[in-house]
Amino acid sequence: MWLRTSCEITFDIAAPTPFILMLRLRSGAQQWVASEEYRLKPSVPVYEFTDMFGNLCQRLIAPPGPFAVAISADVKTSDQVDQAPGAPFVEVEYLPDGVLSYLLPSRYCESDRFGEMANSITTGQQLGYDQVKAIESWLRATIGYEPGRSDIPVSAVEVNTRQWGVCRDLSHLGIALCRSLSIPARLVVGYLYGLKPMDLHAWFEAYIAGRWYTFDATQAELKGGYVAIGYGRDAADVAIYNQFGPPVYPITQDTRVQLIEDKYAR
Amino acid sequence: MWLRTSCEITFDIAAPTPFILMLRLRSGAQQWVASEEYRLKPSVPVYEFTDMFGNLCQRLIAPPGPFAVAISADVKTSDQVDQAPGAPFVEVEYLPDGVLSYLLPSRYCESDRFGEMANSITTGQQLGYDQVKAIESWLRATIGYEPGRSDIPVSAVEVNTRQWGVCRDLSHLGIALCRSLSIPARLVVGYLYGLKPMDLHAWFEAYIAGRWYTFDATQAELKGGYVAIGYGRDAADVAIYNQFGPPVYPITQDTRVQLIEDKYAR
Amino acid sequence: MWLRTSCEITFDIAAPTPFILMLRLRSGAQQWVASEEYRLKPSVPVYEFTDMFGNLCQRLIAPPGPFAVAISADVKTSDQVDQAPGAPFVEVEYLPDGVLSYLLPSRYCESDRFGEMANSITTGQQLGYDQVKAIESWLRATIGYEPGRSDIPVSAVEVNTRQWGVCRDLSHLGIALCRSLSIPARLVVGYLYGLKPMDLHAWFEAYIAGRWYTFDATQAELKGGYVAIGYGRDAADVAIYNQFGPPVYPITQDTRVQLIEDKYAR
Amino acid sequence: MWLRTSCEITFDIAAPTPFILMLRLRSGAQQWVASEEYRLKPSVPVYEFTDMFGNLCQRLIAPPGPFAVAISADVKTSDQVDQAPGAPFVEVEYLPDGVLSYLLPSRYCESDRFGEMANSITTGQQLGYDQVKAIESWLRATIGYEPGRSDIPVSAVEVNTRQWGVCRDLSHLGIALCRSLSIPARLVVGYLYGLKPMDLHAWFEAYIAGRWYTFDATQAELKGGYVAIGYGRDAADVAIYNQFGPPVYPITQDTRVQLIEDKYAR
């Protein structure tokens, strides 16, 4: 399906503030960015680089006063999410080198603390896809999904204690559980068509049978319409924006995802 | 200045043909891509990756029949080319690791064969920027610039023998001469505002005094308006398209660069 | 000074177990590995790769029974630790791209939780080296260094709560405090000549005035004799060994560092 | 088999000369370096980095006077060379991203000039391994292997014209022929047990059926005992040493490969 995604964030900046933005979509195996428009208001010099996870990042200094970042894109993505019940676990010795770092604990995914719990949740499941599906179902049934209730990132341990979270929190717990079973897992930040309430979204992917599969405990069933912005070990790696110096909070954030016709092959 | 660049290439494909395209602009230190639109007609699945030089590359299989690739972008680039007479040579031991490979000979820049000639052209020049400027002037004075006369890449040795070339050929000879003096040099492919006749363009950069500087022997004087598409050791690394299997030639290629107003900060 | 370092670790393996070892020394800016010997007993196939931080990692499957890993090296390292009182803070906008990820919170360094505390510890200090030196002094004065008391990694928040730790724990807290001040910081695992009791060691580095400086809160004063094995955001990235499947603990670990004569230039 | 490899090169240096050495063996899929000793006489500061092909490179400045580089290693390598008659060609669209650059022409492998010739040599062969084997046989039968006759690198076109070459030259022509058939190919520099006369050696690898296979037109039949030092597109990428400034030639070079007993698992 063809989607038009857009996100506009405005800040009120007190003093010149260095930002690293991660808002430009990447084309890749799963999606094709046919057009993109990126505005900064006011316009400032920007320098773009690729981080160690392959994400395109923009460095700039936001000037004092109102500062807006607006990006929109027309992107082709899949109508459905690939699912593969029974797809087998990849033994650690056969994982590609580049996937190994997704087995390690990270800031918000303390996988070193979840071994027993992950075994208990996945008891009786076939190793691989079915284990992760059991984790996703367990999250859906157990952890209250409360979109918008919080914006302070908390870790998997904390989410498990308080038993509720935003999309990112559920994903962090899912990732920690996967990794504790030696299944590589990573966080994806992006857009989801039809998400209610509409906002930027986060879900997770697990590496099974030689490729990454999508999981999302916030949705009753997985439909298509996912558009990825960035990939990383957890939210520390894929912040839509990092700013340095005194904290700066967004004043407004407007996110939209619409279905569009394919005008790009005409 | 703000420019709208566009390039449309059409092919007549006989059998399904794998292509690697390198047409997407990168934002970077020197330019900012505010919007971009990329069309394939007919639409086919595309997979994008980053090559070892940081260029964004698109892999696809072109289907039999007419096949068109069209990309346009609004991009901010510098009004003028930085020049730095007297900027000093960087001794090899102080070059960053990532720059060293631009000292080596490559397919079209046989720098191992130009030591004497480069010394002769740059006799009396201060080491660094002034040497490269002398090379650029020598190219301008000596090698006939004949845009459009040829599209088969030839190497620096061949260009030096036949004494004429397209933009890419002059750049290859310039690069070979720089490298033979232990000055890192690389090819840039992109657009140039005001180029006559309008076409895709190639120029070269040399690493002097800690940064890359632009050189272009095809222009009487360096003005701004350069927009980079890709960087590499020479044209073998930065082909706008590589196709595999029986050769496929473009039927039409339409390249445009217009001055536009800045609408991106409003 | 020239040092001979050695480390031998033995395991009792119940079932075939995938390991990733990070024990091979890297030569680099600060040290030169003149010779190295690496034994696995029994011998098994090993595959070596470079991780995203540049560390050399060895993948293998340990067979059931006793399994020993022994590595020794002759390495030249500095007689003293570079110190630079007054060296200035690098504003985030001037940091190299590759250093930015060392500003982010990580598994054991929750820098997002230490802003106030870091400001309080460094009040009145000049921005840069002196801030980090104040952090190192504060750690030395405040957090009990209890080598060998624990081998379960705990995070900076936990270390700060319990007020004691092993070398790694003190470093994690130091790193978290630096990052919360926008100073890039990373963990180093390696050897230290004269360490008492002798063991593998961990310290931290902070990026100041364009380079990395060494800090170590476990030592009353910084002398030379540091030999690095691996670098990373924290101990999750630079485990000397990671094993997958049921946990496997070392039975014995023998670490040695001796002063040797330079025989390598004769 | 276990081999002890050694190489000692001495230079007579007139003025301080920057060198980049590539002499340290890498452990990898095919070989395991159990011990290594690396001497520089006189001893000078060395800085090591990893190049874009994954090779370990050492940067240093050689001081005036006699300068010797000596490296020896105990390494386990395969007793035989894997061969796979009939192994299929990988269509370009299925090649991993990282392999694509080995399809492009390079300094000494002008694959853009060998399409017809490669087709003629491989007529009737099954696509893939058998094509490369036919190229290797053709080289063996056609191009005179004259070890030690020359040390100036020449390109595949030049080798094909003069019809003789050293090991590197035969490999360059083999690589150019493979790439012109859309088979990725790369140069390997290293040691070969039993090579006569003993010297550093070069051979080539082609990517077939999902992995790299070894080919060597200088040997009547492929036995084991290959030890790789470096990989690259051609000899421009994998020079054992690159020096900058006025040329410096080795005075002596002593290369040895002996069979040793396995002492590393005792």
Side-chain angles (χ1 to χ4, degrees):
Chain A
M1 76 180 77
W2 282 89
L3 297 173
R4 175 161 299 150
T5 61
S6 70
C7 181
E8 175 155 2
I9 309 176
T10 59
F11 300 91
D12 187 16
I13 307 288
T17 301
F19 270 77
I20 300 176
L21 303 173
M22 194 190 289
L23 278 163
R24 213 187 262 290
L25 301 182
R26 282 293 301 269
S27 293
Q30 313 284 335
Q31 65 190 23
W32 171 247
V33 182
S35 79
E36 193 174 57
E37 186 175 302
Y38 203 156
R39 291 178 183 220
L40 303 169
K41 310 169 193 175
S43 185
V44 293
V46 194
Y47 166 69
E48 191 164 293
F49 72 101
T50 303
D51 73 9
M52 63 166 75
F53 301 98
N55 303 304
L56 295 173
C57 301
Q58 299 84 42
R59 302 175 67 167
L60 58 87
I61 299 177
F67 181 66
V69 176
I71 190 160
S72 64
D74 291 357
V75 55
K76 189 178 186 184
T77 189
S78 186
D79 291 351
Q80 53 194 41
V81 168
D82 288 349
Q83 310 210 28
F89 175 71
V90 181
E91 296 289 341
V92 170
E93 58 264 40
Y94 300 117
L95 290 172
D97 299 340
V99 164
L100 291 171
S101 68
Y102 296 105
L103 284 176
L104 301 175
S106 58
R107 169 64 186 95
Y108 298 113
C109 304
E110 309 98 326
S111 45
D112 47 315
R113 306 274 165 101
F114 285 94
E116 263 184 61
M117 186 169 145
N119 277 317
S120 145
I121 290 169
T122 60
T123 303
Q125 300 295 337
Q126 213 176 319
L127 298 189
Y129 189 92
D130 297 354
Q131 287 176 303
V132 186
K133 208 69 195 172
I135 288 169
E136 187 199 51
S137 301
W138 177 88
L139 287 168
R140 198 176 282 123
T142 314
I143 308 294
Y145 169 47
E146 308 206 8
R149 181 162 164 199
S150 158
D151 203 38
I152 299 162
V154 294
S155 77
V157 165
E158 293 165 312
V159 174
N160 189 44
T161 301
R162 78 178 189 195
Q163 298 277 302
W164 64 268
V166 298
C167 53
R168 181 189 51 214
D169 302 327
L170 273 70
S171 297
H172 281 156
L173 183 48
I175 290 167
L177 289 163
C178 288
R179 290 185 193 160
S180 74
L181 297 168
S182 297
I183 298 175
R186 64 183 183 185
L187 187 74
V188 194
V189 169
Y191 301 91
L192 172 59
Y193 174 63
L195 182 68
K196 283 177 187 149
M198 179 47 65
D199 200 351
L200 288 172
H201 191 50
W203 58 96
F204 70 106
E205 292 185 346
Y207 191 87
I208 300 157
R211 52 159 287 193
W212 294 99
Y213 283 94
T214 295
F215 296 89
D216 185 348
T218 71
Q219 302 299 301
E221 53 176 331
L222 296 199
K223 299 178 204 154
Y226 285 85
V227 175
I229 296 174
Y231 297 86
R233 292 209 228 165
D234 64 27
D237 293 328
V238 279
I240 291 302
Y241 59 89
N242 271 307
Q243 110 285 336
F244 300 91
V248 169
Y249 301 102
I251 302 173
T252 64
Q253 180 174 331
D254 180 41
T255 305
R256 294 175 195 209
V257 182
Q258 297 163 251
L259 206 57
I260 56 172
E261 261 185 283
D262 173 10
K263 65 172 192 186
Y264 292 95
R266 279 189 305 216
Chain B
M1 74 180 79
W2 281 90
L3 297 173
R4 175 161 301 150
T5 62
S6 69
C7 181
E8 174 154 4
I9 308 175
T10 59
F11 301 90
D12 187 16
I13 307 289
T17 301
F19 270 77
I20 301 177
L21 303 174
M22 193 191 289
L23 279 163
R24 213 187 263 289
L25 301 182
R26 282 292 302 268
S27 293
Q30 313 285 335
Q31 65 190 23
W32 171 247
V33 182
S35 79
E36 193 175 58
E37 186 174 304
Y38 204 156
R39 291 179 183 220
L40 303 169
K41 310 169 194 175
S43 185
V44 293
V46 194
Y47 166 69
E48 191 165 292
F49 72 101
T50 303
D51 74 10
M52 63 167 75
F53 301 97
N55 303 304
L56 296 173
C57 301
Q58 299 83 42
R59 300 176 67 167
L60 58 86
I61 299 178
F67 181 65
V69 176
I71 189 159
S72 63
D74 291 358
V75 56
K76 189 180 187 183
T77 189
S78 186
D79 290 352
Q80 54 194 41
V81 168
D82 288 349
Q83 311 211 27
F89 176 71
V90 181
E91 295 289 343
V92 170
E93 56 264 40
Y94 300 117
L95 289 172
D97 299 341
V99 163
L100 291 172
S101 68
Y102 296 105
L103 284 176
L104 302 175
S106 58
R107 170 63 186 96
Y108 298 113
C109 304
E110 308 99 327
S111 46
D112 47 316
R113 306 273 165 101
F114 285 95
E116 262 183 63
M117 187 171 145
N119 278 316
S120 145
I121 290 169
T122 61
T123 303
Q125 301 294 337
Q126 213 176 318
L127 298 189
Y129 190 90
D130 297 355
Q131 287 176 304
V132 186
K133 207 69 194 172
I135 289 170
E136 188 199 49
S137 300
W138 177 88
L139 288 168
R140 198 177 282 123
T142 314
I143 308 295
Y145 169 47
E146 308 205 8
R149 180 161 163 199
S150 160
D151 203 38
I152 298 161
V154 294
S155 76
V157 165
E158 293 165 312
V159 174
N160 188 44
T161 301
R162 76 178 191 197
Q163 298 276 303
W164 65 267
V166 298
C167 52
R168 181 189 51 213
D169 302 326
L170 274 70
S171 298
H172 282 157
L173 183 47
I175 291 167
L177 289 163
C178 288
R179 290 184 193 161
S180 75
L181 298 169
S182 298
I183 298 175
R186 64 183 183 185
L187 188 75
V188 194
V189 169
Y191 302 91
L192 171 59
Y193 175 62
L195 182 69
K196 284 178 185 148
M198 179 47 65
D199 201 350
L200 289 172
H201 192 49
W203 60 94
F204 69 105
E205 291 184 347
Y207 190 87
I208 300 158
R211 52 160 287 195
W212 294 99
Y213 283 93
T214 294
F215 296 88
D216 184 349
T218 71
Q219 302 298 301
E221 53 176 329
L222 297 199
K223 299 180 205 153
Y226 285 86
V227 175
I229 297 174
Y231 297 86
R233 292 209 227 165
D234 65 26
D237 293 328
V238 279
I240 291 303
Y241 58 90
N242 271 307
Q243 110 285 336
F244 301 90
V248 169
Y249 301 102
I251 302 172
T252 65
Q253 180 175 330
D254 180 41
T255 305
R256 293 173 197 212
V257 181
Q258 298 163 251
L259 205 58
I260 57 171
E261 263 186 282
D262 173 10
K263 66 171 192 186
Y264 292 96
R266 278 190 304 219
Chain C
M1 77 180 76
W2 281 90
L3 298 173
R4 176 160 300 149
T5 61
S6 69
C7 181
E8 174 154 2
I9 309 176
T10 59
F11 301 90
D12 187 16
I13 308 287
T17 301
F19 270 78
I20 300 176
L21 302 174
M22 192 190 292
L23 278 164
R24 214 187 262 289
L25 301 182
R26 282 294 301 269
S27 293
Q30 315 284 335
Q31 66 190 23
W32 172 248
V33 182
S35 80
E36 194 175 58
E37 186 174 303
Y38 203 156
R39 291 179 183 220
L40 304 169
K41 308 170 195 175
S43 184
V44 293
V46 195
Y47 166 68
E48 191 164 293
F49 72 101
T50 302
D51 74 8
M52 62 166 76
F53 300 98
N55 304 304
L56 295 174
C57 302
Q58 299 84 42
R59 302 175 67 167
L60 58 86
I61 300 178
F67 182 65
V69 176
I71 190 160
S72 63
D74 290 357
V75 57
K76 189 180 186 184
T77 188
S78 187
D79 290 351
Q80 54 194 40
V81 168
D82 288 349
Q83 309 210 29
F89 175 71
V90 181
E91 296 288 341
V92 170
E93 57 264 40
Y94 300 116
L95 290 172
D97 299 341
V99 164
L100 292 171
S101 68
Y102 295 105
L103 284 176
L104 302 175
S106 59
R107 170 64 186 94
Y108 298 113
C109 305
E110 309 98 328
S111 46
D112 46 316
R113 305 274 165 100
F114 284 94
E116 262 183 62
M117 188 171 145
N119 278 317
S120 146
I121 290 169
T122 61
T123 302
Q125 301 294 337
Q126 212 176 320
L127 298 189
Y129 190 90
D130 297 354
Q131 287 177 303
V132 186
K133 208 68 195 171
I135 288 169
E136 188 199 50
S137 301
W138 177 89
L139 287 168
R140 197 176 283 122
T142 314
I143 307 294
Y145 169 47
E146 309 205 6
R149 180 162 165 199
S150 158
D151 203 38
I152 298 161
V154 295
S155 77
V157 165
E158 293 165 312
V159 174
N160 189 44
T161 301
R162 77 178 190 196
Q163 298 276 302
W164 64 268
V166 298
C167 53
R168 181 188 52 215
D169 302 327
L170 272 70
S171 297
H172 282 156
L173 183 48
I175 292 167
L177 289 164
C178 288
R179 290 185 192 159
S180 75
L181 298 169
S182 296
I183 298 175
R186 64 183 183 184
L187 188 74
V188 194
V189 169
Y191 301 91
L192 172 59
Y193 175 62
L195 183 68
K196 286 180 185 145
M198 179 48 65
D199 200 351
L200 289 173
H201 191 50
W203 59 94
F204 70 105
E205 292 185 346
Y207 191 87
I208 301 157
R211 52 160 286 192
W212 293 99
Y213 283 93
T214 295
F215 296 89
D216 184 347
T218 71
Q219 303 298 301
E221 52 176 329
L222 297 199
K223 298 180 206 152
Y226 285 85
V227 176
I229 297 175
Y231 296 86
R233 291 210 228 164
D234 63 27
D237 293 328
V238 278
I240 291 301
Y241 59 89
N242 271 307
Q243 110 286 337
F244 301 90
V248 169
Y249 302 102
I251 301 172
T252 65
Q253 180 174 331
D254 180 41
T255 305
R256 294 174 196 210
V257 181
Q258 299 163 249
L259 204 58
I260 56 170
E261 261 185 283
D262 174 10
K263 65 171 192 186
Y264 292 96
R266 280 190 301 217
Chain D
M1 76 179 78
W2 281 90
L3 298 173
R4 175 160 301 150
T5 62
S6 70
C7 182
E8 174 155 3
I9 309 176
T10 59
F11 301 90
D12 187 17
I13 307 287
T17 301
F19 270 77
I20 300 176
L21 302 173
M22 194 191 289
L23 279 163
R24 214 187 262 291
L25 301 181
R26 281 293 303 268
S27 292
Q30 313 285 335
Q31 66 189 24
W32 171 246
V33 182
S35 80
E36 194 175 56
E37 186 174 302
Y38 203 156
R39 292 179 183 219
L40 304 169
K41 309 168 194 174
S43 185
V44 292
V46 195
Y47 166 68
E48 190 165 292
F49 72 99
T50 302
D51 74 8
M52 63 168 74
F53 301 97
N55 303 303
L56 295 173
C57 302
Q58 300 84 42
R59 301 175 68 166
L60 59 86
I61 299 178
F67 181 65
V69 177
I71 189 158
S72 63
D74 290 358
V75 57
K76 189 179 186 185
T77 188
S78 187
D79 290 350
Q80 54 194 40
V81 168
D82 289 348
Q83 309 210 30
F89 175 72
V90 181
E91 296 289 341
V92 170
E93 57 263 41
Y94 299 117
L95 289 172
D97 299 342
V99 164
L100 291 171
S101 68
Y102 296 104
L103 285 176
L104 302 176
S106 57
R107 169 64 185 94
Y108 297 112
C109 304
E110 309 98 326
S111 46
D112 46 315
R113 305 272 165 102
F114 284 95
E116 261 182 63
M117 188 170 144
N119 278 316
S120 147
I121 290 170
T122 60
T123 303
Q125 301 295 337
Q126 212 177 318
L127 299 189
Y129 189 91
D130 297 354
Q131 287 177 304
V132 186
K133 208 68 194 172
I135 288 169
E136 188 199 49
S137 301
W138 177 89
L139 288 167
R140 198 177 283 123
T142 314
I143 307 293
Y145 169 49
E146 308 205 8
R149 181 162 164 201
S150 159
D151 203 39
I152 299 162
V154 295
S155 77
V157 164
E158 293 165 311
V159 174
N160 189 44
T161 301
R162 77 178 190 196
Q163 298 276 302
W164 65 268
V166 299
C167 53
R168 179 189 53 213
D169 301 326
L170 273 70
S171 297
H172 281 156
L173 182 49
I175 291 167
L177 289 163
C178 288
R179 290 185 192 159
S180 75
L181 297 168
S182 297
I183 298 176
R186 64 183 183 185
L187 188 75
V188 193
V189 170
Y191 302 90
L192 172 59
Y193 175 61
L195 183 67
K196 284 178 187 148
M198 179 48 65
D199 200 352
L200 289 172
H201 192 49
W203 59 94
F204 70 105
E205 291 184 348
Y207 191 88
I208 301 157
R211 53 159 286 194
W212 294 97
Y213 283 94
T214 294
F215 297 89
D216 184 348
T218 72
Q219 302 299 301
E221 53 175 329
L222 297 198
K223 299 179 204 152
Y226 286 84
V227 175
I229 296 175
Y231 297 86
R233 293 208 227 165
D234 64 28
D237 294 328
V238 279
I240 291 302
Y241 59 90
N242 271 307
Q243 110 285 337
F244 301 91
V248 169
Y249 302 101
I251 302 173
T252 65
Q253 179 174 331
D254 180 41
T255 305
R256 293 174 197 210
V257 182
Q258 298 164 250
L259 205 58
I260 57 172
E261 261 187 283
D262 174 11
K263 65 171 193 187
Y264 292 96
R266 279 191 303 218

